[in-house]
Amino acid sequence: MHNFRIGVVKTLAAAVAMAALGFGTAAHAQQGQAMDFAKLQIKTTKLADNLYVMEAAPGVGNVMMLTGADGVLLIDSMFPQLHDKLMAAIRATGATGPVKYVINTHLHGDHTAGNGLFAKDGTVIIAQDSVRRRMLLPKSELTPAYPPENVPTVTYNDRMTLHFDGEDIELIHPPAAHTDGDTIVYFKKANVMHVGDLPASFRFNNIGVNDGGSVDGMIADGKLVMKLANSQTKIVPGHLGPVVGFKEITIQDTMFQTVRDRIAKMIKQGKTLEQIVAAEPTKDFNEGRLGGNITPARWIGLIYTDLTRRMKK
Amino acid sequence: MQPSKQALLVLMAGATLGLGALSVHAQPKPNVTASQPVDQTTPQPHPPFEAVKLADDLWEVPGAGSNVTILVTDEGLALVDDKYEYHYDDLMKVIREKISTKKVKYVIDTHYHADHSGGNTRFRPAGADIISSIPGHDNTVNKVQPGAPPNMVPANIAFTGEMRLYVGGREIRINHYGPGHTGTDVTVYFPHARVICVGDLTHIGDLARGGQYPLIDYNGGGSIQGWIDRLDTITSSTVIDKVVPGHGTVGTKADIIAYRDLLEKLRDHVAAYLRDGTKTEADLRAHLVRDEHWPDPGLSIVRSTHGMFMDLKPKG
Ligand SMILES: [Zn+2]
Ligand SMILES: [Zn+2]
Ligand SMILES: [Zn+2]
């Protein structure tokens, strides 16, 4: 292989990987579709007596809210530009009391950028400890800067349970998948589970290849979610909800495996990323999955980056 | 590292005299410093609480119930243990008058025993987040401790493995490893001051007054071997200047090692006594009381004997 070509491939892979960070406006700007926060409306769906999902846009992480006598608990925090709308949506449900906790499903800005405005009002931000560690890494080509006010102040490394508003809330840290700091949040009594950006809704999921994530981890954790949950569990995905079930997860998992195998085969055949993208390995899965934030080309790039890095080892 | 004078004495006593040393006490004193008095609901009179400074921003309120360690930050206070519920007013009084007027943000329970976590009943409604291990939460909910007050409040945040709190620019590391004094024990480490709170995993300063008869709460998930392993993990993995035990005086890493050696000696002694397979649990109990002077009835003999017998008798 010519050195020139390797250079091009590396640069393209890095660009794809950077775009994959899902870091809010930066990622969107790169796609030429910066979010116009002023135009976004928050849609609220009630899942149980005291549990709600708030959705703003495909590029904004879905927020869940638990409400009751102890106050409000949120999963993820959207963007600071949406803070007032999110608070209005919270109060519109009749929820009272302070927002006591925000649990982050992982570090990406579309799930954590809103942390700071909550923390300023005394909300405790909770996450797996890798979220904090990665947020505090010095900024580099592959790691975006995370504002210090968004960094979690209560972290766990294995398992955590919260007892709040009469619910038992389990935080489960699965093996690295979307990132190495993922948290699955399970509301035991209501049988509702927020799975962050693990495979769930129909889309080309971002894979945090620079945050400890991997395609194989995504495939494994898709299966794990179906072991932790049961067929009655309402599963809230990080994007494009409000709720999915085992059917969607199974189909997503199959897609991940099929496309991974296709790409791995082409890499072994010596194909470049451009050639692999041109071969359209996702073609038969594109239908119904183009509404997400990640295009097929970007998604292929993520899997390519992950697989080639691991083949080198 | 040079062990403190006190620790050296303990080490020497342990090394040269072993468990047999206990027999030099013709009249063993009652087990006054075991983890809990038997009556845990009736307020007991106690000398006024005092505030002891451990570091610039770290205080201790020793005395009745359990020792309480307090980190002071601009964002609020973090407490390790909170004595009995009936100590709450006196504890808050000494905190407010001598230490800080900031709100209590966190209370960390070193384990589920009521003398360490009874105050949750007041601190939780006052707005503090209460943190414990998941087994600690579950033991409180399931009322595992005999004689504990009926209104015990469990932690609202529980974990296994490691948890960290970042409050007012300080870091607090909380670790739960497994069976020890109970199955719920956590240690709380303040890296900036190199101070570790070990709850009842180590007795310091009361080794001739009851602390030498360990309460191994097998019902609550404890284990003598787990306890020894646990102390080894702590001493090998942590830089420690000061150790705050659940009861008694503040010490050093050497005190943890001395207590670990005491446990090992007890384990070996009991295992040797049971080795020929002919001894019953009643024999072991009688032996500990008659030859080793364990106070009877006492919490330690009542709570530790059955578990040690099942754990250390010959297998197979
Ligand atoms: Zn996301
Ligand atoms: Zn993400
Ligand atoms: Zn105890």
Side-chain angles (χ1 to χ4, degrees):
Chain A
M1 227 193 227
H2 299 291
N3 281 337
F4 171 73
R5 191 195 264 168
I6 294 173
V8 169
V9 169
K10 268 192 185 154
T11 310
L12 179 57
V16 169
M18 276 190 70
L21 289 165
F23 186 61
T25 47
H28 291 284
Q30 225 148 347
Q31 290 182 93
Q33 44 173 266
M35 266 185 281
D36 186 354
F37 290 110
K39 285 213 178 101
L40 295 183
Q41 296 301 321
I42 290 176
K43 184 185 109 190
T44 301
T45 308
K46 188 170 184 168
L47 298 184
D49 271 354
N50 54 353
L51 275 176
Y52 299 80
V53 186
M54 277 89 175
E55 298 173 279
V60 180
N62 290 336
V63 162
M64 267 194 72
M65 174 181 73
L66 171 69
T67 155
D70 297 337
V72 173
L73 174 147
L74 298 180
I75 301 177
D76 290 338
S77 60
M78 296 193 174
F79 287 91
Q81 296 90 330
L82 293 170
H83 182 81
D84 291 346
K85 284 182 188 170
L86 180 56
M87 283 310 297
I90 289 167
R91 297 305 177 206
T93 66
T96 54
V99 179
K100 295 281 248 185
Y101 311 99
V102 168
I103 301 167
N104 289 145
T105 57
H106 61 290
L107 83 164
H108 291 154
D110 54 332
H111 300 257
T112 62
N115 285 355
L117 288 179
F118 286 106
K120 192 169 63 69
D121 290 339
T123 302
V124 173
I125 313 290
I126 302 174
Q128 207 276 337
D129 63 11
S130 170
V131 172
R132 182 180 166 97
R133 182 175 54 81
R134 287 192 181 277
M135 278 191 175
L136 293 174
L137 287 177
K139 182 180 161 54
S140 75
E141 191 189 345
L142 297 177
T143 53
Y146 288 94
E149 66 269 23
N150 292 349
V151 176
T153 52
V154 171
T155 65
Y156 76 101
N157 73 344
D158 178 33
R159 251 188 125 86
M160 181 181 272
T161 54
L162 300 186
H163 304 276
F164 190 70
D165 286 336
E167 248 300 352
D168 297 325
I169 305 136
E170 292 194 349
L171 282 62
I172 301 151
H173 172 53
H178 179 63
T179 71
D180 60 10
D182 299 331
T183 291
I184 296 167
V185 186
Y186 185 40
F187 296 88
K188 253 179 130 170
K189 290 183 181 166
N191 196 14
V192 174
M193 186 179 278
H194 193 310
V195 296
D197 282 351
L198 299 181
S201 51
F202 287 154
R203 60 185 175 115
F204 295 115
N205 291 53
N206 186 6
I207 305 168
V209 294
N210 297 316
D211 302 313
S214 72
V215 62
D216 286 351
M218 290 292 268
I219 291 165
D221 281 8
K223 293 179 169 65
L224 177 68
V225 165
M226 293 189 283
K227 283 204 191 95
L228 296 171
N230 58 60
S231 59
Q232 305 304 307
T233 307
K234 290 179 179 159
I235 295 169
V236 176
H239 301 265
L240 300 177
V243 169
V244 299
F246 282 12
K247 188 177 139 242
E248 287 85 351
I249 296 177
T250 307
I251 293 170
Q252 282 297 95
D253 213 52
T254 306
M255 175 191 75
F256 265 92
Q257 292 180 63
T258 309
V259 176
R260 175 201 60 190
D261 293 348
R262 287 173 185 166
I263 294 174
K265 195 173 159 200
M266 287 188 271
I267 293 170
K268 282 194 196 107
Q269 290 165 351
K271 295 229 165 83
T272 65
L273 176 57
E274 290 86 339
Q275 289 168 332
I276 294 172
V277 170
E280 296 190 80
T282 69
K283 196 170 182 185
D284 45 332
F285 295 103
N286 286 354
E287 197 192 326
R289 286 195 181 77
L290 299 177
N293 215 28
I294 307 265
T295 61
R298 244 177 96 192
W299 196 59
I300 294 161
L302 290 169
I303 297 174
Y304 176 89
T305 301
D306 178 30
L307 293 180
T308 49
R309 275 185 197 164
R310 280 186 295 134
M311 282 171 188
K312 270 180 221 143
K313 278 177 196 163
Chain B
M1 179 179 164
Q2 284 290 322
S4 71
K5 212 180 213 172
Q6 179 203 21
L8 263 180
L9 285 174
V10 173
L11 277 169
M12 280 164 53
T16 56
L17 301 167
L19 274 177
L22 313 182
S23 59
V24 303
H25 301 291
Q27 293 283 315
K29 295 195 176 117
N31 192 8
V32 285
T33 57
S35 284
Q36 321 89 3
V38 175
D39 179 353
Q40 304 199 61
T41 37
T42 312
Q44 308 288 324
H46 64 87
F49 289 139
E50 284 170 31
V52 179
K53 199 165 191 167
L54 301 177
D56 276 350
D57 54 1
L58 214 48
W59 293 76
E60 189 204 16
V61 178
S66 58
N67 292 334
V68 176
T69 304
I70 299 149
L71 174 73
V72 180
T73 80
D74 291 345
E75 253 183 73
L77 311 182
L79 270 59
V80 183
D81 285 339
D82 57 16
K83 300 184 185 278
Y84 283 115
E85 178 191 0
Y86 60 74
H87 291 133
Y88 178 82
D89 292 333
D90 290 347
L91 173 60
M92 285 312 294
K93 186 166 180 279
V94 73
I95 290 174
R96 291 306 180 220
E97 286 175 1
K98 303 279 173 56
I99 299 173
S100 170
T101 55
K102 295 276 181 190
K103 67 169 181 178
V104 177
K105 195 168 163 70
Y106 297 110
V107 174
I108 304 152
D109 298 338
T110 60
H111 60 295
Y112 80 108
H113 287 157
D115 51 336
H116 297 259
S117 64
N120 294 358
T121 306
R122 300 289 297 278
F123 280 104
R124 181 63 191 137
D129 277 316
I130 314 281
I131 294 166
S132 78
S133 65
I134 290 175
H137 168 274
D138 294 351
N139 279 5
T140 300
V141 169
N142 297 327
K143 301 193 183 299
V144 171
Q145 187 185 12
N151 61 340
M152 295 278 290
V153 168
N156 63 304
I157 301 180
F159 74 103
T160 56
E162 181 174 84
M163 233 188 107
R164 295 189 188 199
L165 308 178
Y166 300 86
V167 52
R170 292 301 189 199
E171 175 184 344
I172 306 172
R173 291 183 202 160
I174 316 170
N175 283 88
H176 171 254
Y177 302 96
H181 166 60
T182 71
T184 72
D185 309 310
V186 307
T187 57
V188 183
Y189 182 59
F190 300 94
H192 72 281
R194 315 214 293 199
V195 169
I196 190 164
C197 305
V198 295
D200 286 352
L201 286 170
T202 296
H203 281 256
I204 302 176
D206 62 352
L207 287 189
R209 292 179 288 110
Q212 75 272 45
Y213 313 111
L215 193 169
I216 311 160
D217 181 0
Y218 276 90
N219 262 344
S223 136
I224 189 163
Q225 186 59 52
W227 194 338
I228 293 165
D229 296 344
R230 182 68 197 278
L231 293 179
D232 284 339
T233 308
I234 293 166
T235 50
S236 64
S237 65
T238 321
V239 180
I240 300 168
D241 287 349
K242 283 181 186 168
V243 177
V244 183
H247 311 269
T249 52
V250 171
T252 67
K253 195 171 192 167
D255 294 297
I256 300 182
I257 295 167
Y259 197 72
R260 177 240 179 257
D261 292 346
L262 181 149
L263 290 169
E264 186 178 62
K265 214 169 285 294
L266 173 64
R267 179 202 65 191
D268 291 348
H269 180 92
V270 171
Y273 177 77
L274 298 174
R275 188 157 296 140
D276 69 10
T278 63
K279 308 291 196 305
T280 63
E281 184 181 327
D283 292 334
L284 174 62
R285 180 172 173 145
H287 168 69
L288 290 174
V289 173
R290 192 184 57 236
D291 302 326
E292 304 299 335
H293 302 283
W294 283 49
D296 183 26
L299 275 177
S300 294
I301 197 79
V302 171
R303 306 275 298 278
S304 305
T305 311
H306 176 70
M308 277 201 291
F309 177 77
M310 298 305 288
D311 199 3
L312 299 174
K313 70 180 178 180
K315 303 284 183 308

